[in-house]
Amino acid sequence: MLCLADAHCHLDAAYFAEGPDAVLQRACDAGVIGLVVVGLAAEGEGASSDGLDRVRFVLDLARRMPRRVTACVGLHPHDASRWSRSLHEGLGVLATLPEVAAVGEIGLDYHYDRSPREAQRHTFARLIGLAREVRKPIVVHTRSAPEETLTILEREGARDVGGIIHCFSEDRPFAERALALGFDLSFSGIVTFRGATGVRDVAAWAPLDRILVETDSPYLAPVPMRGKPCEPGMVWHTARRVAELRGMDLKDLAAATLANTERRFGRVFATSSRNE
Protein backbone atom coordinates (compact mmCIF):
# COMPACT_ATOMS: atom_id res chain seq x y z
CA MET A 1 0.00 0.00 0.00
CA LEU A 2 1.34 3.43 -0.96
CA CYS A 3 1.05 5.95 1.88
CA LEU A 4 1.54 9.69 1.81
CA ALA A 5 1.33 12.72 4.10
CA ASP A 6 -0.17 16.12 3.34
CA ALA A 7 2.26 18.50 5.02
CA HIS A 8 -0.08 21.54 5.02
CA CYS A 9 -3.86 21.82 4.74
CA HIS A 10 -6.79 23.88 6.04
CA LEU A 11 -9.96 22.03 7.07
CA ASP A 12 -12.02 24.73 8.82
CA ALA A 13 -15.77 24.79 8.34
CA ALA A 14 -15.31 28.05 6.47
CA TYR A 15 -13.61 25.99 3.75
CA PHE A 16 -15.45 22.65 4.05
CA ALA A 17 -19.05 23.17 5.12
CA GLU A 18 -19.58 19.40 5.38
CA GLY A 19 -17.01 19.30 8.18
CA PRO A 20 -13.59 17.67 8.31
CA ASP A 21 -14.58 14.02 8.79
CA ALA A 22 -15.75 13.38 5.23
CA VAL A 23 -12.66 15.12 3.83
CA LEU A 24 -10.42 13.05 6.07
CA GLN A 25 -12.16 9.85 5.04
CA ARG A 26 -11.63 10.63 1.37
CA ALA A 27 -7.98 11.33 2.12
CA CYS A 28 -7.63 8.04 3.97
CA ASP A 29 -9.30 6.18 1.10
CA ALA A 30 -6.69 7.72 -1.21
CA GLY A 31 -3.82 6.53 1.00
CA VAL A 32 -3.10 9.90 2.63
CA ILE A 33 -2.47 8.69 6.16
CA GLY A 34 -1.10 11.83 7.79
CA LEU A 35 -2.19 15.46 7.71
CA VAL A 36 -0.63 18.59 9.16
CA VAL A 37 -3.67 20.82 9.70
CA VAL A 38 -3.31 24.56 10.15
CA GLY A 39 -5.16 26.59 12.77
CA LEU A 40 -4.93 30.33 12.20
CA ALA A 41 -5.64 32.90 14.88
CA ALA A 42 -7.86 35.91 14.19
CA GLU A 43 -8.81 34.97 10.63
CA GLY A 44 -12.48 35.79 10.03
CA GLU A 45 -13.50 35.89 13.70
CA GLY A 46 -15.85 38.41 15.25
CA ALA A 47 -15.10 41.19 17.69
CA SER A 48 -16.41 39.15 20.65
CA SER A 49 -13.95 36.31 20.03
CA ASP A 50 -10.47 36.06 21.51
CA GLY A 51 -9.27 35.23 18.00
CA LEU A 52 -8.37 31.63 18.78
CA ASP A 53 -11.52 29.72 17.78
CA ARG A 54 -9.97 28.21 14.66
CA VAL A 55 -6.87 27.23 16.56
CA ARG A 56 -9.03 25.32 19.05
CA PHE A 57 -10.87 23.64 16.16
CA VAL A 58 -7.60 22.19 14.89
CA LEU A 59 -6.51 21.14 18.37
CA ASP A 60 -9.79 19.30 18.87
CA LEU A 61 -9.33 17.54 15.54
CA ALA A 62 -5.80 16.49 16.46
CA ARG A 63 -7.03 15.13 19.80
CA ARG A 64 -9.76 13.09 18.12
CA MET A 65 -7.40 11.64 15.52
CA PRO A 66 -3.94 11.67 17.09
CA ARG A 67 -2.42 9.15 14.68
CA ARG A 68 -3.81 10.85 11.58
CA VAL A 69 -3.71 14.58 12.33
CA THR A 70 -1.20 16.93 13.87
CA ALA A 71 -1.67 20.67 14.26
CA CYS A 72 0.30 23.79 13.55
CA VAL A 73 -0.94 27.11 14.90
CA GLY A 74 -0.11 30.63 13.86
CA LEU A 75 -1.19 34.01 12.55
CA HIS A 76 -1.26 34.50 8.78
CA PRO A 77 0.53 37.58 7.45
CA HIS A 78 -2.81 38.73 6.02
CA ASP A 79 -3.92 39.18 9.65
CA ALA A 80 -0.67 40.56 11.02
CA SER A 81 -2.29 43.89 11.85
CA ARG A 82 -4.52 42.06 14.34
CA TRP A 83 -1.54 40.97 16.41
CA SER A 84 -1.78 42.01 20.05
CA ARG A 85 0.02 41.06 23.21
CA SER A 86 -3.04 39.16 24.47
CA LEU A 87 -3.45 37.27 21.20
CA HIS A 88 0.27 36.44 21.21
CA GLU A 89 0.10 35.17 24.80
CA GLY A 90 -2.99 33.08 24.09
CA LEU A 91 -1.39 31.58 21.00
CA GLY A 92 1.75 30.91 23.00
CA VAL A 93 -0.13 28.91 25.63
CA LEU A 94 -1.83 26.77 22.98
CA ALA A 95 1.43 26.29 21.07
CA THR A 96 2.91 24.44 24.06
CA LEU A 97 0.27 21.70 23.88
CA PRO A 98 1.37 18.25 22.71
CA GLU A 99 -1.11 18.29 19.82
CA VAL A 100 0.81 21.20 18.27
CA ALA A 101 3.80 20.19 16.16
CA ALA A 102 4.78 23.62 14.79
CA VAL A 103 4.16 27.36 14.84
CA GLY A 104 2.66 28.52 11.55
CA GLU A 105 1.83 29.51 9.16
CA ILE A 106 3.59 32.80 9.73
CA GLY A 107 5.57 35.04 7.42
CA LEU A 108 5.26 37.80 4.83
CA ASP A 109 2.83 38.32 1.95
CA TYR A 110 3.68 41.38 -0.13
CA HIS A 111 1.54 40.20 -3.04
CA TYR A 112 -1.79 41.10 -1.45
CA ASP A 113 -0.56 43.42 1.34
CA ARG A 114 -3.68 42.81 3.41
CA SER A 115 -1.74 44.00 6.43
CA PRO A 116 0.80 46.83 6.35
CA ARG A 117 4.28 45.55 5.65
CA GLU A 118 5.70 46.93 8.88
CA ALA A 119 3.01 45.04 10.82
CA GLN A 120 3.86 41.88 8.89
CA ARG A 121 7.55 42.21 9.70
CA HIS A 122 6.89 42.89 13.37
CA THR A 123 4.46 40.00 13.75
CA PHE A 124 6.69 37.59 11.87
CA ALA A 125 9.62 38.39 14.15
CA ARG A 126 7.55 38.04 17.31
CA LEU A 127 6.17 34.67 16.23
CA ILE A 128 9.61 33.34 15.34
CA GLY A 129 10.47 34.26 18.91
CA LEU A 130 7.44 32.33 20.13
CA ALA A 131 8.52 29.25 18.17
CA ARG A 132 11.96 29.45 19.76
CA GLU A 133 10.38 29.77 23.20
CA VAL A 134 8.24 26.65 22.77
CA ARG A 135 11.01 24.85 20.84
CA LYS A 136 8.90 23.92 17.87
CA PRO A 137 9.56 24.29 14.14
CA ILE A 138 8.19 27.10 12.00
CA VAL A 139 5.90 26.89 8.97
CA VAL A 140 6.73 29.85 6.73
CA HIS A 141 4.39 31.58 4.29
CA THR A 142 6.28 33.83 1.89
CA ARG A 143 4.97 35.54 -1.21
CA SER A 144 6.65 38.35 -3.14
CA ALA A 145 9.00 38.94 -0.21
CA PRO A 146 11.90 36.50 -0.64
CA GLU A 147 14.79 38.62 0.59
CA GLU A 148 13.00 40.04 3.63
CA THR A 149 11.66 36.62 4.58
CA LEU A 150 15.15 35.13 4.66
CA THR A 151 16.64 38.16 6.37
CA ILE A 152 14.11 38.02 9.20
CA LEU A 153 14.54 34.25 9.60
CA GLU A 154 18.31 34.72 9.83
CA ARG A 155 18.16 37.74 12.13
CA GLU A 156 15.63 36.24 14.55
CA GLY A 157 17.45 32.95 15.05
CA ALA A 158 15.03 30.70 13.20
CA ARG A 159 17.93 28.31 12.62
CA ASP A 160 17.49 27.23 16.26
CA VAL A 161 14.23 25.43 15.45
CA GLY A 162 14.12 25.09 11.64
CA GLY A 163 10.88 24.30 9.88
CA ILE A 164 9.46 24.29 6.37
CA ILE A 165 8.93 26.77 3.59
CA HIS A 166 5.33 25.94 2.88
CA CYS A 167 3.91 26.09 -0.65
CA PHE A 168 7.36 26.64 -2.08
CA SER A 169 7.23 29.16 -4.95
CA GLU A 170 10.72 30.66 -5.09
CA ASP A 171 13.94 29.89 -6.97
CA ARG A 172 17.09 27.87 -6.34
CA PRO A 173 19.12 30.65 -4.62
CA PHE A 174 16.25 31.12 -2.15
CA ALA A 175 16.07 27.36 -1.64
CA GLU A 176 19.80 27.14 -0.96
CA ARG A 177 19.61 29.77 1.79
CA ALA A 178 16.50 28.19 3.30
CA LEU A 179 18.11 24.76 3.37
CA ALA A 180 21.21 26.24 5.00
CA LEU A 181 18.97 27.70 7.71
CA GLY A 182 17.62 24.23 8.48
CA PHE A 183 14.34 24.60 6.60
CA ASP A 184 12.78 21.93 4.39
CA LEU A 185 10.89 22.71 1.18
CA SER A 186 7.22 21.76 0.84
CA PHE A 187 5.81 21.55 -2.68
CA SER A 188 2.14 22.17 -3.47
CA GLY A 189 0.06 21.93 -6.63
CA ILE A 190 2.04 24.88 -7.98
CA VAL A 191 4.70 22.41 -9.13
CA THR A 192 2.14 21.05 -11.65
CA PHE A 193 1.29 24.48 -13.11
CA ARG A 194 2.50 25.24 -16.61
CA GLY A 195 4.39 28.43 -15.75
CA ALA A 196 6.13 27.18 -12.61
CA THR A 197 9.46 26.30 -14.24
CA GLY A 198 11.56 27.65 -11.37
CA VAL A 199 9.63 25.65 -8.80
CA ARG A 200 10.02 22.50 -10.88
CA ASP A 201 13.75 23.13 -11.11
CA VAL A 202 14.00 23.21 -7.31
CA ALA A 203 11.76 20.15 -6.91
CA ALA A 204 14.04 18.19 -9.23
CA TRP A 205 17.25 19.43 -7.56
CA ALA A 206 16.58 19.62 -3.80
CA PRO A 207 17.97 16.87 -1.52
CA LEU A 208 15.47 14.02 -1.22
CA ASP A 209 15.58 14.10 2.57
CA ARG A 210 14.60 17.80 2.63
CA ILE A 211 11.37 17.83 0.58
CA LEU A 212 7.70 17.44 1.50
CA VAL A 213 4.44 17.57 -0.43
CA GLU A 214 1.24 19.37 0.51
CA THR A 215 -2.09 20.57 -0.83
CA ASP A 216 -2.65 23.87 1.02
CA SER A 217 -6.28 22.82 0.66
CA PRO A 218 -8.72 24.26 -0.23
CA TYR A 219 -6.36 26.26 -2.48
CA LEU A 220 -4.07 25.45 -5.40
CA ALA A 221 -5.65 22.26 -6.72
CA PRO A 222 -3.01 20.47 -8.81
CA VAL A 223 -3.30 19.60 -12.46
CA PRO A 224 -5.51 17.78 -13.51
CA MET A 225 -7.88 18.98 -10.74
CA ARG A 226 -7.55 22.71 -11.49
CA GLY A 227 -10.75 24.66 -10.93
CA LYS A 228 -11.98 22.36 -8.17
CA PRO A 229 -11.71 22.90 -4.42
CA CYS A 230 -8.49 21.27 -3.34
CA GLU A 231 -8.47 18.68 -0.57
CA PRO A 232 -5.83 16.42 0.99
CA GLY A 233 -6.60 13.39 -1.15
CA MET A 234 -5.33 15.33 -4.17
CA VAL A 235 -1.77 15.49 -2.85
CA TRP A 236 -0.99 12.40 -4.93
CA HIS A 237 -1.02 14.51 -8.11
CA THR A 238 1.69 16.74 -6.66
CA ALA A 239 3.72 13.77 -5.46
CA ARG A 240 3.49 12.11 -8.87
CA ARG A 241 4.77 15.25 -10.60
CA VAL A 242 7.68 15.62 -8.19
CA ALA A 243 8.58 11.96 -8.70
CA GLU A 244 8.54 12.46 -12.49
CA LEU A 245 10.80 15.50 -12.19
CA ARG A 246 13.28 13.53 -10.11
CA GLY A 247 13.15 10.40 -12.27
CA MET A 248 11.90 8.37 -9.30
CA ASP A 249 9.29 5.73 -8.74
CA LEU A 250 6.22 7.22 -7.06
CA LYS A 251 6.34 4.74 -4.20
CA ASP A 252 9.88 5.84 -3.33
CA LEU A 253 8.95 9.53 -3.45
CA ALA A 254 5.88 8.86 -1.29
CA ALA A 255 7.92 6.94 1.28
CA ALA A 256 10.60 9.63 1.43
CA THR A 257 8.21 12.57 1.81
CA LEU A 258 6.15 10.71 4.41
CA ALA A 259 9.31 10.04 6.42
CA ASN A 260 10.43 13.65 6.03
CA THR A 261 7.06 14.95 7.23
CA GLU A 262 7.12 12.66 10.25
CA ARG A 263 10.68 13.71 11.11
CA ARG A 264 10.07 17.41 10.69
CA PHE A 265 6.88 17.48 12.75
CA GLY A 266 7.89 14.83 15.27
CA ARG A 267 4.98 12.52 14.51
CA VAL A 268 4.50 8.96 13.34
CA PHE A 269 1.27 8.58 11.43
CA ALA A 270 -0.71 5.34 11.67
CA THR A 271 -0.96 2.66 9.01
CA SER A 272 -2.35 -0.83 9.40
CA SER A 273 1.21 -2.18 9.22
CA ARG A 274 2.33 -0.04 12.17
CA ASN A 275 -0.03 -1.57 14.74
CA GLU A 276 -2.26 1.48 14.91
Side-chain angles (χ1 to χ4, degrees):
M1 175 183 176
L2 293 180
C3 298
L4 198 60
D6 181 351
H8 190 103
C9 59
H10 303 261
L11 299 181
D12 307 59
Y15 306 122
F16 295 100
E18 64 185 321
D21 289 358
V23 179
L24 287 165
Q25 185 59 56
R26 290 193 291 272
C28 185
D29 292 344
V32 181
I33 65 163
L35 300 96
V36 182
V37 185
V38 182
L40 293 175
E43 184 185 57
E45 295 179 14
S48 62
S49 168
D50 66 356
L52 298 171
D53 294 348
R54 293 191 177 188
V55 175
R56 295 188 185 95
F57 165 84
V58 171
L59 294 176
D60 289 343
L61 189 62
R63 290 184 188 115
R64 281 202 296 119
M65 301 181 178
R67 299 295 303 279
R68 300 289 182 190
V69 172
T70 193
C72 59
V73 301
L75 180 63
H76 198 284
H78 289 341
D79 293 308
S81 60
R82 297 187 63 179
W83 183 92
S84 66
R85 188 172 301 278
S86 62
L87 182 67
H88 185 93
E89 290 173 353
L91 193 61
V93 169
L94 296 178
T96 65
L97 296 175
E99 295 84 6
V100 176
V103 173
E105 62 195 275
I106 62 175
L108 303 176
D109 193 313
Y110 290 177
H111 179 77
Y112 288 109
D113 279 327
R114 291 180 181 168
S115 280
R117 293 184 179 185
E118 182 55 38
Q120 292 188 50
R121 291 188 288 267
H122 173 267
T123 298
F124 189 22
R126 294 299 301 267
L127 292 172
I128 292 170
L130 188 155
R132 295 179 64 206
E133 289 170 15
V134 300
R135 298 179 181 273
K136 292 184 179 179
I138 300 164
V139 175
V140 176
H141 173 112
T142 179
R143 189 167 185 189
S144 301
E147 183 60 34
E148 286 201 66
T149 296
L150 290 167
T151 296
I152 291 172
L153 288 171
E154 291 165 349
R155 185 185 70 217
E156 300 299 327
R159 187 192 307 272
D160 292 347
V161 290
I164 72 168
I165 307 298
H166 125 77
C167 196
F168 186 85
S169 59
E170 298 296 339
D171 57 14
R172 193 182 296 197
F174 181 101
E176 290 171 343
R177 285 178 65 184
L179 290 167
L181 274 170
F183 281 75
D184 298 334
L185 314 177
S186 186
F187 295 94
S188 69
I190 290 174
V191 77
T192 71
F193 297 175
R194 180 179 299 176
T197 55
V199 175
R200 283 193 288 276
D201 170 67
V202 175
W205 159 84
L208 180 60
D209 63 349
R210 304 292 299 278
I211 64 172
L212 295 76
V213 290
E214 64 169 85
T215 57
D216 198 20
S217 67
Y219 311 109
L220 301 174
V223 174
M225 310 304 290
R226 296 289 286 147
K228 299 180 180 180
C230 188
E231 56 181 74
M234 296 179 185
V235 74
W236 280 106
H237 298 289
T238 297
R240 185 173 292 107
R241 187 68 179 109
V242 173
E244 290 172 354
L245 291 167
R246 300 179 70 88
M248 294 178 61
D249 191 284
L250 176 57
K251 68 177 173 40
D252 295 328
L253 188 282
T257 55
L258 172 60
N260 295 343
T261 304
E262 291 180 325
R263 169 188 50 79
R264 173 54 71 187
F265 293 103
R267 296 294 188 268
V268 175
F269 298 115
T271 67
S272 57
S273 64
R274 293 179 176 176
N275 299 316
E276 180 178 358

